[in-house]
């Protein structure tokens, strides 16, 4: 039995809450059997709900449960030494070409047992859950061989069960070229498309498929081959797109109806237009931008003008974004990328849920949706972006249970 099994039910009337969208409005939430049955201003509460057991919110600000829609949470080891190399002047590409980067995490992940990976990932996940995260994506991509990709994805499924949090798994077998396939990109993509992905999908371990489309990773043609394999299996796609250069990956991903294109610092107007037409979410990753000391800011104004939804995520990974605070990313999205506070909050709720295909169950407090919401010890929504270095969570309801 895990701790969630004995967590109290959130069923009843939640009152003494203030809306993040308008902190002057006193709000109420009715939860029954773990599902939201009513939500709105307290003054409009139907009389039929007035006699329910009451949960007093203590004048807390309330938001939907947060969604971290891009992480590489399961891996072995760490890469602090590469951080030091970059501080000494090495570029991301130079580190990768020197045998560091993703391949160094591959070595450590292959050497770790499933239980070791589960223990380290659980510790990292707990930090995110304590900030109100109620759904999270976990990518593979540090195994780069069937047995080790399976190991990562199995750990992701175990995390969902052990911590009772929604976890969407993404197969990122095309993350980097493993050492044993040096100089044989085509052969490795064959392995990804014809052996790894079909096997893992058949085992129920894959919710979506991603590729790192970049000069130091995989080409447009190789990316499309993976997308075609995913399409044949009925799996949605995502893409690490336009992080280091404009490869045209976003337009390709949009043609395949991608859930999201992520990083996108070098995204072109053509890519923006394609994403708008496809309904693809732009996922902003300020942690990687900050860690890499990048200077190319994503085209926020153009995305805003086009009406492309913008999500914000930690991109937690050992090499370029060792971040375990989604609230810090909200602050950075505002300070570094110039998002407004409402945009940043939507970026870790409604738009992040959409980036995972979870818009029907997460990212909002709405009738018929599972009860996932956070009570904040704050006076106004702007404080969610303003403070960093503290954890202003007063309470968390996740999957209809009071977990904090």
């Amino acid at each position: 039995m895990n701790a969630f099994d004995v967590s109290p039910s959130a069923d009843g009337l939640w009152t003494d809450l203030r809306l993040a969208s308008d902190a002057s409005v006193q709000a109420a939430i009715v939860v029954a059997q773990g599902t939201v049955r009513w939500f709105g201003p307290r003054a409009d509460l139907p009389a039929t709900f007035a006699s329910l057991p009451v949960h007093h919110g203590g004048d807390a600000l309330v938001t939907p449960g947060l969604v971290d829609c891009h992480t590489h949470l399961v891996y072995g080891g760490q890469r602090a030494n590469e951080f030091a190399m970059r501080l000494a002047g090495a570029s991301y590409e130079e580190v990768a070409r020197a045998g560091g980067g993703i391949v160094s995490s591959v070595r450590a992940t292959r050497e770790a047992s499933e239980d070791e990976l589960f223990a380290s990932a659980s510790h990292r996940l707990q930090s995110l859950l304590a900030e109100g995260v109620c759904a999270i994506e976990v990518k593979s991509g540090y195994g780069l061989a069937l047995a080790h990709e399976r190991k990562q994805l199995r750990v992701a499924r175990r995390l969902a069960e052990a911590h009772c949090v929604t976890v969407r798994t993404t197969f990122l077998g095309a993350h980097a070229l493993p050492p044993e396939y040096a100089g044989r990109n085509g052969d490795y993509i064959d392995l990804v498309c014809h052996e790894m992905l079909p096997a893992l999908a058949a085992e129920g371990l894959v919710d979506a498929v991603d590729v790192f489309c970049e000069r130091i990773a995989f080409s447009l043609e190789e990316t499309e081959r993976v997308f075609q394999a995913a399409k044949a299996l009925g799996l949605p796609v995502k893409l690490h797109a336009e992080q280091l250069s404009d490869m045209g990956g976003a337009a390709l991903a949009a043609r395949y109806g991608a859930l999201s294109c992520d990083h996108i610092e070098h995204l072109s107007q053509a890519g923006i237009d394609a994403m708008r037409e496809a309904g693809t979410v732009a996922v902003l990753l300020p942690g990687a931008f900050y860690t890499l000391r990048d200077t190319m800011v994503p085209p926020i104004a153009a995305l805003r003008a086009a009406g492309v939804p913008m999500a914000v995520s930690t991109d937690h990974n050992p090499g370029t974004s060792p971040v375990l605070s989604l609230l810090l990313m909200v602050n950075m999205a505002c300070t570094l990328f110039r998002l407004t506070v409402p945009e940043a909050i939507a970026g870790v709720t409604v738009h992040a849920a959409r980036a995972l295909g979870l818009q029907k169950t997460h990212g909002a407090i709405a009738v018929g949706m599972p009860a996932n919401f956070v009570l904040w010890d704050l006076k106004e929504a702007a404080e969610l972006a303003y403070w960093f270095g503290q954890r202003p969570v007063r309470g968390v309801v996740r999957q209809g249970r009071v977990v904090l």
Side-chain angles (χ1 to χ4, degrees), residues 4 39 44 51 68 97 128 160 209 224 245 301 312 317 321 331 342-343 363 398:
F4 188 86
F39 173 55
D44 297 339
S51 61
D68 197 354
R97 292 195 179 107
L128 295 166
V209 177
E224 185 162 20
S245 62
V312 176
N317 74 80
S321 190
N331 174 276
E343 285 174 335
R398 191 169 70 243

Side-chain angles (χ1 to χ4, degrees), residues 16 18 27 71-72 129 135 183 223 250 253 261 280 283 290 337 361:
D16 297 330
R18 289 175 297 109
T71 86
H72 306 252
L129 297 180
T223 298
C261 290
T280 298
V283 178
Y290 172 82
F337 294 167
T361 57

Side-chain angles (χ1 to χ4, degrees), residues 165-370:
V165 59
T166 300
V167 174
R168 298 292 283 182
T169 57
T170 296
F171 172 65
L172 183 57
H175 194 197
L177 194 65
E180 62 270 24
Y181 278 84
R184 296 191 291 139
N185 282 48
D187 290 342
Y188 181 65
I189 292 297
D190 283 342
L191 179 72
V192 167
C193 294
H194 302 309
E195 296 185 35
M196 294 168 66
L197 178 54
L200 296 170
E203 294 170 26
L205 293 174
V206 181
D207 296 323
V209 177
D210 195 355
V211 178
F212 186 17
C213 182
E214 192 53 71
R215 293 172 303 188
I216 61 171
F218 296 98
S219 69
L220 281 175
E221 185 272 334
E222 291 159 349
T223 298
E224 185 162 20
R225 288 179 59 193
V226 177
F227 283 0
Q228 289 170 342
K231 183 178 179 180
L233 292 168
L235 293 168
V237 300
K238 307 167 70 68
L239 190 65
H240 282 62
E242 273 67 284
Q243 179 184 10
L244 306 175
S245 62
D246 182 8
M247 294 276 290
L252 171 65
R255 290 204 301 273
Y256 282 83
L259 291 171
S260 70
C261 290
D262 304 30
H263 288 288
I264 61 170
E265 281 87 347
H266 295 261
L267 181 64
S268 68
Q269 187 61 52
I272 292 172
D273 294 341
M275 291 172 65
R276 179 193 65 229
E277 293 300 317
T280 298
V281 177
V283 178
L284 309 176
L285 304 172
F289 176 90
Y290 172 82
T291 302
L292 292 171
R293 296 188 290 180
D294 205 345
T295 57
M296 177 66 76
V297 176
I300 301 301
L303 289 164
R304 184 184 291 133
V308 174
M310 294 180 285
V312 176
S313 184
T314 62
D315 186 22
H316 176 82
N317 74 80
T320 63
S321 190
V323 173
L324 287 170
S325 171
L326 191 53
L327 288 183
L328 178 58
M329 297 303 94
V330 170
N331 174 276
M332 285 188 176
C334 293
T335 57
L336 300 179
F337 294 167
R338 301 297 189 265
L339 263 63
T340 66
V341 169
E343 285 174 335
I345 294 174
V348 294
T349 54
V350 60
H351 297 326
R354 182 174 169 181
L356 297 180
L358 291 175
Q359 61 268 32
K360 293 183 179 179
T361 57
H362 291 76
I365 305 171
V367 173
M369 292 179 69

Side-chain angles (χ1 to χ4, degrees), residues 8-167:
S9 168
D11 285 3
L13 171 62
W14 289 77
T15 188
D16 297 330
L17 306 172
R18 289 175 297 109
L19 296 176
S21 57
D22 184 350
S24 67
V25 175
Q26 287 289 320
I29 305 171
V30 174
V31 178
Q33 296 182 319
T35 300
V36 176
R37 298 301 183 191
W38 189 89
F39 173 55
R42 177 65 176 84
D44 297 339
L45 181 73
T48 185
F49 297 128
S51 61
L52 292 174
V54 175
H55 300 268
H56 292 284
D59 201 38
L61 201 71
V62 63
T63 69
L66 306 187
V67 178
D68 197 354
C69 65
H70 180 130
T71 86
H72 306 252
L73 196 69
V74 177
Y75 56 84
Q78 46 83 13
R79 282 154 53 190
N81 61 315
E82 294 175 22
F83 177 71
M85 286 175 63
R86 289 196 300 273
L87 290 177
S91 70
Y92 182 76
E93 293 183 358
E94 288 169 341
V95 169
R97 292 195 179 107
I102 293 166
V103 175
S104 65
S105 289
V106 171
R107 289 193 295 268
T109 301
R110 288 180 174 183
E111 291 169 359
S113 70
E114 182 176 317
D115 286 343
E116 289 170 335
L117 292 175
F118 175 77
S120 61
S122 289
H123 181 72
R124 294 188 282 265
L125 178 59
Q126 287 166 357
S127 294
L128 295 166
L129 297 180
E131 278 198 348
V133 168
C134 292
I136 187 169
E137 185 226 33
V138 177
K139 301 179 190 292
S140 67
Y142 289 129
L144 306 187
L146 177 56
H148 300 294
E149 291 286 298
R150 176 186 287 120
K151 182 170 61 174
Q152 282 191 273
L153 293 168
R154 281 175 51 85
V155 168
R157 291 290 192 231
R158 285 178 61 185
L159 291 172
E161 295 174 3
H163 297 277
C164 292
V165 59
T166 300
V167 174

